PDB file of all heavy atoms in Angstrom:
ATOM      1  N   THR A   1       0.822  -1.204   0.000  1.00  0.00           N
ATOM      2  CA  THR A   1       0.000   0.000   0.000  1.00  0.00           C
ATOM      3  C   THR A   1       0.859   1.257   0.000  1.00  0.00           C
ATOM      4  O   THR A   1       0.622   2.193  -0.771  1.00  0.00           O
ATOM      5  CB  THR A   1      -0.927   0.012   1.229  1.00  0.00           C
ATOM      6  OG1 THR A   1      -1.676  -1.200   1.243  1.00  0.00           O
ATOM      7  CG2 THR A   1      -1.870   1.188   1.200  1.00  0.00           C
ATOM      8  N   LEU A   2       1.876   1.277   0.848  1.00  0.00           N
ATOM      9  CA  LEU A   2       2.690   2.476   1.005  1.00  0.00           C
ATOM     10  C   LEU A   2       3.550   2.757  -0.215  1.00  0.00           C
ATOM     11  O   LEU A   2       3.676   3.903  -0.641  1.00  0.00           O
ATOM     12  CB  LEU A   2       3.586   2.343   2.246  1.00  0.00           C
ATOM     13  CG  LEU A   2       2.862   2.316   3.601  1.00  0.00           C
ATOM     14  CD1 LEU A   2       3.849   2.006   4.708  1.00  0.00           C
ATOM     15  CD2 LEU A   2       2.178   3.647   3.864  1.00  0.00           C
ATOM     16  N   LYS A   3       4.127   1.713  -0.791  1.00  0.00           N
ATOM     17  CA  LYS A   3       5.124   1.920  -1.839  1.00  0.00           C
ATOM     18  C   LYS A   3       4.521   1.888  -3.236  1.00  0.00           C
ATOM     19  O   LYS A   3       4.632   2.848  -3.997  1.00  0.00           O
ATOM     20  CB  LYS A   3       6.228   0.875  -1.698  1.00  0.00           C
ATOM     21  CG  LYS A   3       6.959   0.976  -0.368  1.00  0.00           C
ATOM     22  CD  LYS A   3       7.889  -0.211  -0.135  1.00  0.00           C
ATOM     23  CE  LYS A   3       8.511  -0.169   1.251  1.00  0.00           C
ATOM     24  NZ  LYS A   3       9.335  -1.374   1.535  1.00  0.00           N
ATOM     25  N   PHE A   4       3.876   0.767  -3.589  1.00  0.00           N
ATOM     26  CA  PHE A   4       3.395   0.618  -4.956  1.00  0.00           C
ATOM     27  C   PHE A   4       2.257   1.595  -5.266  1.00  0.00           C
ATOM     28  O   PHE A   4       2.250   2.242  -6.314  1.00  0.00           O
ATOM     29  CB  PHE A   4       2.938  -0.818  -5.206  1.00  0.00           C
ATOM     30  CG  PHE A   4       2.393  -1.038  -6.586  1.00  0.00           C
ATOM     31  CD1 PHE A   4       3.188  -0.844  -7.705  1.00  0.00           C
ATOM     32  CD2 PHE A   4       1.071  -1.431  -6.772  1.00  0.00           C
ATOM     33  CE1 PHE A   4       2.690  -1.042  -8.982  1.00  0.00           C
ATOM     34  CE2 PHE A   4       0.569  -1.627  -8.040  1.00  0.00           C
ATOM     35  CZ  PHE A   4       1.381  -1.438  -9.147  1.00  0.00           C
ATOM     36  N   GLN A   5       1.287   1.703  -4.362  1.00  0.00           N
ATOM     37  CA  GLN A   5       0.159   2.573  -4.652  1.00  0.00           C
ATOM     38  C   GLN A   5       0.581   4.034  -4.722  1.00  0.00           C
ATOM     39  O   GLN A   5       0.048   4.810  -5.526  1.00  0.00           O
ATOM     40  CB  GLN A   5      -0.941   2.366  -3.614  1.00  0.00           C
ATOM     41  CG  GLN A   5      -1.559   0.969  -3.669  1.00  0.00           C
ATOM     42  CD  GLN A   5      -2.848   0.866  -2.898  1.00  0.00           C
ATOM     43  OE1 GLN A   5      -3.571   1.837  -2.737  1.00  0.00           O
ATOM     44  NE2 GLN A   5      -3.159  -0.325  -2.410  1.00  0.00           N
ATOM     45  N   THR A   6       1.548   4.427  -3.903  1.00  0.00           N
ATOM     46  CA  THR A   6       2.064   5.794  -3.982  1.00  0.00           C
ATOM     47  C   THR A   6       2.724   6.041  -5.332  1.00  0.00           C
ATOM     48  O   THR A   6       2.502   7.077  -5.973  1.00  0.00           O
ATOM     49  CB  THR A   6       3.075   6.043  -2.846  1.00  0.00           C
ATOM     50  OG1 THR A   6       2.425   5.861  -1.594  1.00  0.00           O
ATOM     51  CG2 THR A   6       3.632   7.453  -2.926  1.00  0.00           C
ATOM     52  N   TRP A   7       3.525   5.067  -5.776  1.00  0.00           N
ATOM     53  CA  TRP A   7       4.190   5.182  -7.089  1.00  0.00           C
ATOM     54  C   TRP A   7       3.154   5.224  -8.203  1.00  0.00           C
ATOM     55  O   TRP A   7       3.270   5.997  -9.158  1.00  0.00           O
ATOM     56  CB  TRP A   7       5.128   3.992  -7.280  1.00  0.00           C
ATOM     57  CG  TRP A   7       5.849   3.984  -8.598  1.00  0.00           C
ATOM     58  CD1 TRP A   7       7.056   4.537  -8.885  1.00  0.00           C
ATOM     59  CD2 TRP A   7       5.381   3.374  -9.818  1.00  0.00           C
ATOM     60  NE1 TRP A   7       7.388   4.321 -10.199  1.00  0.00           N
ATOM     61  CE2 TRP A   7       6.382   3.615 -10.797  1.00  0.00           C
ATOM     62  CE3 TRP A   7       4.247   2.669 -10.184  1.00  0.00           C
ATOM     63  CZ2 TRP A   7       6.268   3.162 -12.110  1.00  0.00           C
ATOM     64  CZ3 TRP A   7       4.112   2.227 -11.491  1.00  0.00           C
ATOM     65  CH2 TRP A   7       5.119   2.467 -12.441  1.00  0.00           C
ATOM     66  N   LEU A   8       2.114   4.396  -8.085  1.00  0.00           N
ATOM     67  CA  LEU A   8       1.100   4.311  -9.135  1.00  0.00           C
ATOM     68  C   LEU A   8       0.332   5.621  -9.265  1.00  0.00           C
ATOM     69  O   LEU A   8       0.014   6.057 -10.383  1.00  0.00           O
ATOM     70  CB  LEU A   8       0.138   3.162  -8.817  1.00  0.00           C
ATOM     71  CG  LEU A   8      -0.646   2.545  -9.977  1.00  0.00           C
ATOM     72  CD1 LEU A   8       0.305   2.013 -11.031  1.00  0.00           C
ATOM     73  CD2 LEU A   8      -1.542   1.427  -9.469  1.00  0.00           C
ATOM     74  N   ARG A   9       0.043   6.258  -8.166  1.00  0.00           N
ATOM     75  CA  ARG A   9      -0.674   7.541  -8.222  1.00  0.00           C
ATOM     76  C   ARG A   9       0.145   8.603  -8.954  1.00  0.00           C
ATOM     77  O   ARG A   9      -0.414   9.501  -9.593  1.00  0.00           O
ATOM     78  CB  ARG A   9      -1.019   8.015  -6.807  1.00  0.00           C
ATOM     79  CG  ARG A   9      -2.161   7.225  -6.154  1.00  0.00           C
ATOM     80  CD  ARG A   9      -2.565   7.824  -4.827  1.00  0.00           C
ATOM     81  NE  ARG A   9      -3.759   7.191  -4.297  1.00  0.00           N
ATOM     82  CZ  ARG A   9      -3.762   6.165  -3.467  1.00  0.00           C
ATOM     83  NH1 ARG A   9      -2.606   5.643  -3.063  1.00  0.00           N
ATOM     84  NH2 ARG A   9      -4.896   5.636  -3.038  1.00  0.00           N
ATOM     85  N   GLN A  10       1.469   8.501  -8.869  1.00  0.00           N
ATOM     86  CA  GLN A  10       2.336   9.465  -9.547  1.00  0.00           C
ATOM     87  C   GLN A  10       2.443   9.177 -11.039  1.00  0.00           C
ATOM     88  O   GLN A  10       2.445  10.103 -11.857  1.00  0.00           O
ATOM     89  CB  GLN A  10       3.729   9.454  -8.908  1.00  0.00           C
ATOM     90  CG  GLN A  10       3.742   9.913  -7.457  1.00  0.00           C
ATOM     91  CD  GLN A  10       5.105   9.717  -6.813  1.00  0.00           C
ATOM     92  OE1 GLN A  10       5.988   9.064  -7.376  1.00  0.00           O
ATOM     93  NE2 GLN A  10       5.277  10.277  -5.626  1.00  0.00           N
ATOM     94  N   HIS A  11       2.557   7.880 -11.403  1.00  0.00           N
ATOM     95  CA  HIS A  11       2.830   7.513 -12.797  1.00  0.00           C
ATOM     96  C   HIS A  11       1.580   7.138 -13.582  1.00  0.00           C
ATOM     97  O   HIS A  11       1.623   7.099 -14.820  1.00  0.00           O
ATOM     98  CB  HIS A  11       3.833   6.355 -12.831  1.00  0.00           C
ATOM     99  CG  HIS A  11       5.194   6.720 -12.332  1.00  0.00           C
ATOM    100  ND1 HIS A  11       5.510   6.751 -10.990  1.00  0.00           N
ATOM    101  CD2 HIS A  11       6.317   7.098 -12.993  1.00  0.00           C
ATOM    102  CE1 HIS A  11       6.773   7.106 -10.840  1.00  0.00           C
ATOM    103  NE2 HIS A  11       7.279   7.330 -12.030  1.00  0.00           N
ATOM    104  N   ARG A  12       0.492   6.832 -12.913  1.00  0.00           N
ATOM    105  CA  ARG A  12      -0.783   6.539 -13.563  1.00  0.00           C
ATOM    106  C   ARG A  12      -1.880   7.277 -12.801  1.00  0.00           C
ATOM    107  O   ARG A  12      -2.639   6.681 -12.044  1.00  0.00           O
ATOM    108  CB  ARG A  12      -1.066   5.027 -13.593  1.00  0.00           C
ATOM    109  CG  ARG A  12      -0.169   4.224 -14.501  1.00  0.00           C
ATOM    110  CD  ARG A  12      -0.457   4.524 -15.984  1.00  0.00           C
ATOM    111  NE  ARG A  12       0.316   3.647 -16.856  1.00  0.00           N
ATOM    112  CZ  ARG A  12       1.543   3.923 -17.288  1.00  0.00           C
ATOM    113  NH1 ARG A  12       2.140   5.056 -16.916  1.00  0.00           N
ATOM    114  NH2 ARG A  12       2.167   3.081 -18.099  1.00  0.00           N
ATOM    115  N   PRO A  13      -1.967   8.595 -12.989  1.00  0.00           N
ATOM    116  CA  PRO A  13      -2.938   9.384 -12.202  1.00  0.00           C
ATOM    117  C   PRO A  13      -4.381   8.953 -12.411  1.00  0.00           C
ATOM    118  O   PRO A  13      -5.241   9.279 -11.594  1.00  0.00           O
ATOM    119  CB  PRO A  13      -2.702  10.824 -12.707  1.00  0.00           C
ATOM    120  CG  PRO A  13      -1.971  10.678 -14.012  1.00  0.00           C
ATOM    121  CD  PRO A  13      -1.168   9.423 -13.900  1.00  0.00           C
ATOM    122  N   GLY A  14      -4.658   8.205 -13.487  1.00  0.00           N
ATOM    123  CA  GLY A  14      -6.017   7.723 -13.717  1.00  0.00           C
ATOM    124  C   GLY A  14      -6.312   6.391 -13.052  1.00  0.00           C
ATOM    125  O   GLY A  14      -7.398   5.819 -13.247  1.00  0.00           O
ATOM    126  N   ALA A  15      -5.361   5.859 -12.275  1.00  0.00           N
ATOM    127  CA  ALA A  15      -5.542   4.565 -11.618  1.00  0.00           C
ATOM    128  C   ALA A  15      -6.695   4.617 -10.616  1.00  0.00           C
ATOM    129  O   ALA A  15      -6.990   5.656 -10.025  1.00  0.00           O
ATOM    130  CB  ALA A  15      -4.253   4.152 -10.910  1.00  0.00           C
ATOM    131  N   HIS A  16      -7.349   3.478 -10.443  1.00  0.00           N
ATOM    132  CA  HIS A  16      -8.461   3.370  -9.494  1.00  0.00           C
ATOM    133  C   HIS A  16      -8.092   2.395  -8.376  1.00  0.00           C
ATOM    134  O   HIS A  16      -7.354   1.424  -8.591  1.00  0.00           O
ATOM    135  CB  HIS A  16      -9.720   2.887 -10.207  1.00  0.00           C
ATOM    136  CG  HIS A  16     -10.217   3.830 -11.261  1.00  0.00           C
ATOM    137  ND1 HIS A  16     -10.967   4.946 -10.984  1.00  0.00           N
ATOM    138  CD2 HIS A  16     -10.035   3.829 -12.609  1.00  0.00           C
ATOM    139  CE1 HIS A  16     -11.246   5.590 -12.097  1.00  0.00           C
ATOM    140  NE2 HIS A  16     -10.689   4.929 -13.114  1.00  0.00           N
ATOM    141  N   PHE A  17      -8.647   2.642  -7.194  1.00  0.00           N
ATOM    142  CA  PHE A  17      -8.336   1.829  -6.022  1.00  0.00           C
ATOM    143  C   PHE A  17      -9.646   1.454  -5.328  1.00  0.00           C
ATOM    144  O   PHE A  17     -10.526   2.297  -5.145  1.00  0.00           O
ATOM    145  CB  PHE A  17      -7.437   2.596  -5.053  1.00  0.00           C
ATOM    146  CG  PHE A  17      -6.158   3.084  -5.681  1.00  0.00           C
ATOM    147  CD1 PHE A  17      -6.112   4.314  -6.329  1.00  0.00           C
ATOM    148  CD2 PHE A  17      -5.004   2.319  -5.639  1.00  0.00           C
ATOM    149  CE1 PHE A  17      -4.947   4.764  -6.917  1.00  0.00           C
ATOM    150  CE2 PHE A  17      -3.834   2.759  -6.233  1.00  0.00           C
ATOM    151  CZ  PHE A  17      -3.808   3.986  -6.876  1.00  0.00           C
ATOM    152  N   TYR A  18      -9.747   0.174  -4.962  1.00  0.00           N
ATOM    153  CA  TYR A  18     -10.968  -0.287  -4.296  1.00  0.00           C
ATOM    154  C   TYR A  18     -10.590  -1.313  -3.234  1.00  0.00           C
ATOM    155  O   TYR A  18      -9.859  -2.270  -3.516  1.00  0.00           O
ATOM    156  CB  TYR A  18     -11.939  -0.907  -5.302  1.00  0.00           C
ATOM    157  CG  TYR A  18     -13.297  -1.211  -4.713  1.00  0.00           C
ATOM    158  CD1 TYR A  18     -14.142  -0.191  -4.293  1.00  0.00           C
ATOM    159  CD2 TYR A  18     -13.739  -2.527  -4.580  1.00  0.00           C
ATOM    160  CE1 TYR A  18     -15.395  -0.470  -3.753  1.00  0.00           C
ATOM    161  CE2 TYR A  18     -14.991  -2.813  -4.047  1.00  0.00           C
ATOM    162  CZ  TYR A  18     -15.808  -1.783  -3.628  1.00  0.00           C
ATOM    163  OH  TYR A  18     -17.040  -2.050  -3.090  1.00  0.00           O
ATOM    164  N   HIS A  19     -11.092  -1.085  -2.018  1.00  0.00           N
ATOM    165  CA  HIS A  19     -10.786  -1.992  -0.904  1.00  0.00           C
ATOM    166  C   HIS A  19     -12.046  -2.717  -0.467  1.00  0.00           C
ATOM    167  O   HIS A  19     -13.094  -2.100  -0.242  1.00  0.00           O
ATOM    168  CB  HIS A  19     -10.208  -1.219   0.281  1.00  0.00           C
ATOM    169  CG  HIS A  19      -9.862  -2.105   1.441  1.00  0.00           C
ATOM    170  ND1 HIS A  19      -8.860  -3.047   1.382  1.00  0.00           N
ATOM    171  CD2 HIS A  19     -10.401  -2.200   2.687  1.00  0.00           C
ATOM    172  CE1 HIS A  19      -8.777  -3.687   2.538  1.00  0.00           C
ATOM    173  NE2 HIS A  19      -9.705  -3.194   3.341  1.00  0.00           N
ATOM    174  N   MET A  20     -11.950  -4.046  -0.351  1.00  0.00           N
ATOM    175  CA  MET A  20     -13.059  -4.880   0.103  1.00  0.00           C
ATOM    176  C   MET A  20     -12.813  -5.253   1.565  1.00  0.00           C
ATOM    177  O   MET A  20     -11.915  -6.036   1.861  1.00  0.00           O
ATOM    178  CB  MET A  20     -13.167  -6.136  -0.772  1.00  0.00           C
ATOM    179  CG  MET A  20     -13.343  -5.832  -2.254  1.00  0.00           C
ATOM    180  SD  MET A  20     -13.174  -7.309  -3.300  1.00  0.00           S
ATOM    181  CE  MET A  20     -14.624  -8.253  -2.790  1.00  0.00           C
ATOM    182  N   ASP A  21     -13.597  -4.680   2.456  1.00  0.00           N
ATOM    183  CA  ASP A  21     -13.362  -4.936   3.881  1.00  0.00           C
ATOM    184  C   ASP A  21     -14.425  -5.824   4.513  1.00  0.00           C
ATOM    185  O   ASP A  21     -14.300  -6.222   5.672  1.00  0.00           O
ATOM    186  CB  ASP A  21     -13.255  -3.622   4.657  1.00  0.00           C
ATOM    187  CG  ASP A  21     -14.507  -2.765   4.519  1.00  0.00           C
ATOM    188  OD1 ASP A  21     -15.369  -3.093   3.669  1.00  0.00           O
ATOM    189  OD2 ASP A  21     -14.621  -1.762   5.246  1.00  0.00           O
ATOM    190  N   LEU A  22     -15.489  -6.142   3.765  1.00  0.00           N
ATOM    191  CA  LEU A  22     -16.563  -6.966   4.324  1.00  0.00           C
ATOM    192  C   LEU A  22     -16.409  -8.412   3.874  1.00  0.00           C
ATOM    193  O   LEU A  22     -16.306  -8.684   2.683  1.00  0.00           O
ATOM    194  CB  LEU A  22     -17.928  -6.432   3.889  1.00  0.00           C
ATOM    195  CG  LEU A  22     -18.238  -4.990   4.307  1.00  0.00           C
ATOM    196  CD1 LEU A  22     -19.572  -4.558   3.737  1.00  0.00           C
ATOM    197  CD2 LEU A  22     -18.220  -4.853   5.827  1.00  0.00           C
ATOM    198  N   PRO A  23     -16.383  -9.359   4.804  1.00  0.00           N
ATOM    199  CA  PRO A  23     -16.205 -10.769   4.432  1.00  0.00           C
ATOM    200  C   PRO A  23     -17.410 -11.316   3.684  1.00  0.00           C
ATOM    201  O   PRO A  23     -18.537 -10.843   3.864  1.00  0.00           O
ATOM    202  CB  PRO A  23     -16.021 -11.478   5.775  1.00  0.00           C
ATOM    203  CG  PRO A  23     -16.687 -10.578   6.774  1.00  0.00           C
ATOM    204  CD  PRO A  23     -16.506  -9.183   6.267  1.00  0.00           C
ATOM    205  N   ILE A  24     -17.173 -12.313   2.834  1.00  0.00           N
ATOM    206  CA  ILE A  24     -18.227 -12.942   2.053  1.00  0.00           C
ATOM    207  C   ILE A  24     -18.721 -14.224   2.714  1.00  0.00           C
ATOM    208  O   ILE A  24     -19.924 -14.477   2.803  1.00  0.00           O
ATOM    209  CB  ILE A  24     -17.722 -13.262   0.624  1.00  0.00           C
ATOM    210  CG1 ILE A  24     -17.434 -11.970  -0.122  1.00  0.00           C
ATOM    211  CG2 ILE A  24     -18.735 -14.115  -0.132  1.00  0.00           C
ATOM    212  CD1 ILE A  24     -18.640 -11.136  -0.419  1.00  0.00           C
ATOM    213  N   ARG A  25     -17.791 -15.037   3.200  1.00  0.00           N
ATOM    214  CA  ARG A  25     -18.169 -16.368   3.684  1.00  0.00           C
ATOM    215  C   ARG A  25     -18.506 -16.404   5.175  1.00  0.00           C
ATOM    216  O   ARG A  25     -18.876 -17.440   5.700  1.00  0.00           O
ATOM    217  CB  ARG A  25     -17.042 -17.373   3.378  1.00  0.00           C
ATOM    218  CG  ARG A  25     -16.806 -17.560   1.895  1.00  0.00           C
ATOM    219  CD  ARG A  25     -15.989 -18.800   1.602  1.00  0.00           C
ATOM    220  NE  ARG A  25     -14.700 -18.824   2.254  1.00  0.00           N
ATOM    221  CZ  ARG A  25     -13.602 -18.259   1.753  1.00  0.00           C
ATOM    222  NH1 ARG A  25     -13.654 -17.622   0.607  1.00  0.00           N
ATOM    223  NH2 ARG A  25     -12.453 -18.332   2.387  1.00  0.00           N
ATOM    224  N   TRP A  26     -18.345 -15.269   5.856  1.00  0.00           N
ATOM    225  CA  TRP A  26     -18.743 -15.188   7.256  1.00  0.00           C
ATOM    226  C   TRP A  26     -19.073 -13.742   7.590  1.00  0.00           C
ATOM    227  O   TRP A  26     -18.782 -12.823   6.807  1.00  0.00           O
ATOM    228  CB  TRP A  26     -17.642 -15.715   8.179  1.00  0.00           C
ATOM    229  CG  TRP A  26     -16.281 -15.117   7.930  1.00  0.00           C
ATOM    230  CD1 TRP A  26     -15.817 -13.898   8.360  1.00  0.00           C
ATOM    231  CD2 TRP A  26     -15.210 -15.698   7.179  1.00  0.00           C
ATOM    232  NE1 TRP A  26     -14.529 -13.698   7.937  1.00  0.00           N
ATOM    233  CE2 TRP A  26     -14.126 -14.792   7.210  1.00  0.00           C
ATOM    234  CE3 TRP A  26     -15.054 -16.907   6.498  1.00  0.00           C
ATOM    235  CZ2 TRP A  26     -12.917 -15.041   6.576  1.00  0.00           C
ATOM    236  CZ3 TRP A  26     -13.847 -17.164   5.868  1.00  0.00           C
ATOM    237  CH2 TRP A  26     -12.795 -16.245   5.912  1.00  0.00           C
TER     238      TRP A  26
END
């Protein structure tokens, strides 16, 4: 999260990010 996503925001400003925090099977 700290390294790659920071780099991606600089080099691909159109990048999208989505976090899934709710479990499916429980």
Side-chain angles (χ1 to χ4, degrees):
T1 305
L2 293 173
K3 299 170 185 175
F4 178 62
Q5 295 194 28
T6 300
W7 179 90
L8 203 58
R9 286 186 172 93
Q10 296 173 349
H11 293 82
R12 291 290 186 271
H16 297 279
F17 304 88
Y18 189 66
H19 181 66
M20 303 170 67
D21 58 350
L22 300 176
I24 294 293
R25 296 196 302 274
W26 51 80

